[in-house]
Amino acid sequence: MEKVDCIVVGGGLAGLSAAYGLASEGLEVILIERGDYAGAKNVTGGRLYVSPIRDMYPELWEAAPFERPVTREFITLLNSGNATTIEFASDKFAAQPYQSYTVLRATLDLWLSEQVMEKGGMVITNQRVDELLMEDGKVIGIRAGEDEIGADMTIVAEGVLGLVSTKAGLRQKPSWKDHAVGFKETIELPQEVIESRWHLSPGQGAAHLFMGEVTKGMLGGGFLYTNKSSISFGIVLGMKDAKERADKIDVYTLLDDFKAHPHVAPLVAGGELLEYSAHVISEAGYAGIPQLYGDGYLLAGDTAGLALNQLYTVRGMDFAVASGYYAAKATLEAKQQGDLSAAGPMYEKMMRDTWVIKDLETAQHIPHFIENPRIFTHYPQSVGRIFERLFTLTSDPTEGIYHKVMGSVKQDFVNAKTVKELMGVRKI
Amino acid sequence: MKIIVPVKTNPDLQMIRIKNREPILEAVPYKVGDLDKNSVEAALQLQAAVGDTQVVALTIAEGNRKIKDTMKEVLAMGADEAYILSDDALTAADQAGKALALAKAIEKIGGADLIVFAEGSTDNYSGQMGPRVAELLALPEIGYAKKLTVADGKLTAERGMGDLIEVLESSLPAVVTVTSEINEPRIPTLMNIMKAGKKPTTEWTLGDVGLDAAAVAPQKAVLSNLAEEQQRKNVMIEGSAEEQCAALIDALIKDGVLEA
């Protein structure tokens, strides 16, 4: 059996980051990707937070083909009769170094795979890894079709479904109950149109999240990210809510309804649909992280359950890059010490000692918190009611501002349920 | 025996979008043509059948800046080595220029016992390279073969001619073009992809094969390759989805497409 230093299963951000780190230090590394090219099958909503990962491979992030730096944040509470939008702009976000960028994975991942190859790593596409080769509980390589290749270390970054690692018993079969599905359209719009619709300076970008009517009360929300000359427009929806919903709503109609919503339609008007895509997202948070390593292998990226939905930010790609980076780092350090079995514990320690696992731990109560459907119905509606009352002027004598606002606030927020939920907020 | 397989790499047709009747080629990756994979497979099957045979792939870069990566697929399928003609002047060349460049490259490689072309390229499908190169090299040519055998220094080829099969025999060296029905091209295995990176690839410019830009300058210009525009009825139906459906059905009935 042919043997190499490292095999990386999967050409997403975690796998590419691992392969890049290993190849940079001269290890013989093979990355195996199922798609036609790295990025061909990879999907993101749209935004990569670069700040947390900037010090890992800084040369990459300076040159990477990002779409636009996000300099403006929009959050819209969308109801059937009204919409309240918060627009936030900050000089801090509009200046270098930018905190986050919108990205298209077909472009970004392909470019990263080229950087891996430039460092001497081998990226093999169009090949499916069928299983991990095990010997006495140790992962010793992979099998793809009839070919078997051995490796001292196998980094499994095969994505959220983790078919190969689950089959090998390295992690539990993921339950649909703690996953969401994200589906989106990439819609082409001229650059000037994007910049005028989201009040952007040339080249700068916006992130626009939507809550409320978008998911018809189900866990999730809408998102819109501005790329160079397209927008990524979609919905993230909790599978449990979608599946257990009494009226068995057709999920795909949600996106059409969202797009046709009177307060959303003008944002996407005139756009040409370029492509659809969808992706499964772990909503389990901290509780969904499996054992990160074992004999001969490390898990990284979505396969390691590294995704975080905090409603106002959705993160996954920065975790993927960081896990790939640390997987490579731990492997290299262990190899230098002459004991590769040290890589696993080192990897876990690096992940636990840094923001990677800490951020997930901090946010561990969020999955429970956002199970509450009132977040997606009652609260957006309440805010809408306040503003509707505030801005309404009729031929009746008007109330004082205080009464207008407090009337709604009392009605919608001063009640036992809300107080109880507020207590819950303190945990997140 | 030595078999040369000239192949074309073309922009991935599935990735091309059309805007204002123009293909958008920016950022579209190149692939080995689907039909060219049939010719490579045909050569590899002959190699297996005859034994002691070298399969050499040859291509023109035609603006494909990552041509070496693209050609790895042919090497991963099993070709033993690859030659790439890379020259800016060849991007604009027409079929005559490209055929001349291929013929000169084949001569420089040292000729072959058999040259296997696809019936045409997967993108433009002019189907001229096989016959043109045969003519330039003064070799016999059999077009559109759907079965090939080589035995006793002779090539036997079958051609589908509607309801009969024509069997032709030729001395070697010869040129043959093969149809897509000749075989099912193999998908490279992981191990073969790994080995492909180590196989020799030689890059030549026009000067290396004794040509210059003038020699391959296009002798014809394409004025337009657009399909004829047809006059449509331009009926716009407006209203809600339900209203549009009803109006569309009425219109189709009126035109006799549907029965009332």
Side-chain angles (χ1 to χ4, degrees):
Chain A
M1 183 165 68
E2 185 120 350
K3 200 172 160 217
V4 295
D5 293 331
C6 287
I7 292 174
V8 178
V9 182
L13 289 179
L16 291 165
S17 300
Y20 181 81
L22 295 166
S24 298
E25 295 299 320
L27 258 64
E28 192 184 6
V29 53
I30 298 177
L31 181 148
I32 305 166
E33 159 61 32
R34 170 77 187 90
D36 279 354
Y37 54 93
K41 296 166 75 72
N42 305 345
V43 177
T44 175
R47 167 201 283 208
L48 170 64
Y49 285 93
V50 173
S51 291
I53 55 168
R54 200 180 309 277
D55 295 340
M56 309 168 182
Y57 314 136
E59 71 281 12
L60 286 183
W61 316 127
E62 272 161 30
F66 295 131
E67 294 295 312
R68 291 170 183 260
V70 177
T71 61
R72 256 167 212 269
E73 307 277 349
F74 294 76
I75 296 178
T76 294
L77 304 177
L78 197 64
N79 299 310
S80 60
N82 60 49
T84 309
T85 298
I86 298 164
E87 175 176 352
F88 180 75
S90 152
D91 294 349
K92 196 173 121 194
F93 294 162
Q96 299 259 24
Y98 297 114
Q99 176 172 261
S100 67
Y101 291 85
T102 57
V103 299
L104 290 171
R105 296 289 297 276
T107 317
L108 177 63
D109 295 17
L110 177 61
W111 181 83
L112 280 172
S113 74
E114 288 163 6
Q115 309 315 304
V116 171
M117 288 190 270
E118 239 164 59
K119 292 287 180 191
M122 196 180 265
V123 176
I124 295 180
T125 56
N126 262 320
Q127 290 289 320
R128 188 184 70 205
V129 172
D130 293 304
E131 65 179 346
L132 300 172
L133 299 176
M134 310 285 290
E135 198 178 86
D136 305 327
K138 182 181 178 176
V139 175
I140 57 159
I142 59 101
R143 181 178 67 77
E146 287 172 8
D147 289 337
E148 296 185 343
I149 301 180
D152 291 329
M153 177 61 75
T154 302
I155 296 172
V156 188
E158 54 170 333
V160 63
L161 298 179
L163 299 174
V164 170
S165 47
T166 306
K167 189 171 159 193
L170 310 185
R171 59 171 227 163
Q172 297 267 310
K173 191 175 174 191
S175 160
W176 55 269
K177 285 184 181 157
D178 44 30
H179 283 74
V181 60
F183 42 103
K184 72 163 189 179
E185 293 181 354
T186 309
I187 299 169
E188 186 175 51
L189 280 174
Q191 304 194 5
E192 321 78 72
V193 171
I194 290 173
E195 282 153 12
S196 94
R197 281 185 194 174
W198 282 274
H199 322 142
L200 299 165
S201 307
Q204 302 203 326
H208 195 158
L209 300 179
F210 299 82
M211 266 177 76
E213 177 69 12
V214 184
T215 54
K216 308 208 190 299
M218 293 179 278
L219 188 157
F223 60 83
L224 191 161
Y225 296 100
T226 59
N227 304 314
K228 276 198 186 108
S229 52
S230 67
I231 53 170
S232 297
F233 175 84
I235 292 176
V236 173
L237 187 66
M239 287 194 195
K240 190 161 174 277
D241 280 17
K243 200 162 171 179
E244 289 175 353
R245 193 182 163 98
D247 62 1
K248 292 281 167 233
I249 196 162
D250 283 323
V251 164
Y252 59 87
T253 62
L254 285 178
L255 198 57
D256 289 338
D257 290 351
F258 180 27
K259 212 198 289 187
H261 191 289
H263 297 299
V264 177
L267 295 175
V268 297
E272 192 191 330
L273 176 65
L274 297 181
E275 64 178 32
Y276 296 101
S277 47
H279 190 41
V280 172
I281 305 161
S282 170
E283 294 277 341
Y286 184 68
I289 305 174
Q291 168 74 25
L292 291 172
Y293 68 90
D295 212 359
Y297 75 89
L298 307 172
L299 303 184
D302 272 347
T303 307
L306 302 172
L308 178 57
N309 181 357
Q310 287 175 292
L311 286 186
Y312 72 100
T313 59
V314 185
R315 296 167 58 187
M317 291 188 287
D318 50 342
F319 287 101
V321 169
S323 62
Y325 172 81
Y326 286 128
K329 197 172 174 205
T331 303
L332 289 163
E333 282 183 20
K335 199 175 162 68
Q336 215 163 30
Q337 291 173 15
D339 177 18
L340 259 184
S341 67
M346 250 193 266
Y347 172 54
E348 174 153 30
K349 187 167 183 325
M350 288 172 183
M351 298 275 278
R352 288 202 178 275
D353 286 353
T354 53
W355 58 270
V356 186
I357 302 278
K358 282 193 166 49
D359 280 9
L360 281 159
E361 201 171 357
T362 307
Q364 63 181 309
H365 297 293
I366 289 181
H368 176 66
F369 174 76
I370 61 179
E371 268 175 18
N372 178 1
R374 276 161 55 89
I375 293 173
F376 306 101
T377 51
H378 175 75
Y379 291 110
Q381 286 162 7
S382 303
V383 173
R385 271 196 291 273
I386 293 173
F387 284 106
E388 200 150 275
R389 235 166 122 176
L390 186 64
F391 289 117
T392 299
L393 207 60
T394 66
S395 58
D396 293 327
T398 185
E399 305 161 277
I401 296 171
Y402 178 80
H403 281 283
K404 278 190 180 184
V405 175
M406 282 316 287
S408 296
V409 169
K410 270 187 202 158
Q411 182 192 328
D412 288 330
F413 291 94
V414 184
N415 54 57
K417 257 191 181 166
T418 303
V419 170
K420 193 168 156 243
E421 280 155 7
L422 259 177
M423 301 298 283
V425 171
R426 292 183 0 194
K427 279 193 189 163
I428 65 169
Chain B
M1 186 162 87
K2 182 150 102 190
I3 305 176
I4 293 180
V5 191
V7 298
K8 183 168 180 182
T9 69
N10 49 259
D12 187 346
L13 302 184
Q14 288 180 340
M15 299 280 284
I16 297 175
R17 287 198 302 129
I18 306 292
K19 203 167 178 189
N20 303 325
R21 307 197 81 196
E22 287 284 338
I24 300 173
L25 295 172
E26 192 194 344
V28 174
Y30 277 72
K31 278 190 152 183
V32 175
D34 291 340
L35 293 168
D36 298 278
K37 288 182 187 165
N38 291 112
S39 55
V40 174
E41 179 64 38
L44 293 171
Q45 288 186 10
L46 285 176
Q47 181 187 42
V50 177
D52 191 25
T53 294
Q54 194 197 11
V55 174
V56 178
L58 166 66
T59 194
I60 294 175
E62 293 192 47
N64 178 356
R65 286 184 298 277
K66 293 183 184 159
I67 182 84
K68 268 182 102 166
D69 285 342
T70 317
M71 285 300 283
K72 262 189 202 155
E73 186 168 5
V74 177
L75 296 172
M77 284 178 75
D80 299 297
E81 66 178 308
Y83 287 87
I84 296 167
L85 263 179
S86 185
D87 202 300
D88 286 345
L90 284 165
T91 309
D94 60 12
Q95 287 91 344
K98 284 172 189 165
L100 179 62
L102 287 176
K104 289 288 181 191
I106 289 167
E107 280 176 353
K108 171 134 184 177
I109 292 169
D113 300 294
L114 184 63
I115 301 165
V116 186
F117 281 90
E119 59 180 286
S121 61
T122 307
D123 52 356
N124 289 329
Y125 196 75
S126 78
Q128 295 183 24
M129 286 305 123
R132 277 184 183 272
V133 167
E135 197 57 31
L136 288 167
L137 296 175
L139 294 176
E141 192 250 359
I142 299 173
Y144 304 99
K146 60 171 202 161
K147 191 177 173 199
L148 295 180
T149 34
V150 170
D152 308 325
K154 274 189 198 144
L155 167 74
T156 311
E158 290 186 7
R159 292 162 29 120
M161 308 292 283
D163 49 5
L164 60 93
I165 291 171
E166 184 181 52
V167 182
L168 295 164
E169 207 177 78
S170 167
S171 58
L172 294 177
V175 175
V176 65
T177 76
V178 300
T179 65
S180 61
E181 60 186 315
I182 191 167
N183 55 42
E184 186 69 41
R186 69 193 65 188
I187 294 164
T189 64
L190 183 56
M191 216 50 108
N192 286 332
I193 296 172
M194 288 173 64
K195 283 182 199 151
K198 291 165 193 148
K199 289 182 177 175
T201 299
T202 309
E203 275 189 85
W204 283 333
T205 60
L206 275 181
D208 292 325
V209 296
L211 293 172
D212 57 17
V216 298
Q219 294 164 27
K220 64 174 193 220
V222 176
L223 300 180
S224 168
N225 61 359
L226 295 178
E228 188 96 357
E229 266 195 276
Q230 281 185 313
Q231 283 301 316
R232 315 300 302 197
K233 290 187 176 169
N234 291 324
V235 180
M236 287 292 287
I237 299 174
E238 310 217 336
S240 69
E242 286 82 4
E243 289 162 359
Q244 289 184 43
C245 283
L248 174 63
I249 290 168
D250 284 347
L252 290 174
I253 290 171
K254 207 182 282 173
D255 276 4
V257 181
L258 293 179
E259 276 183 44

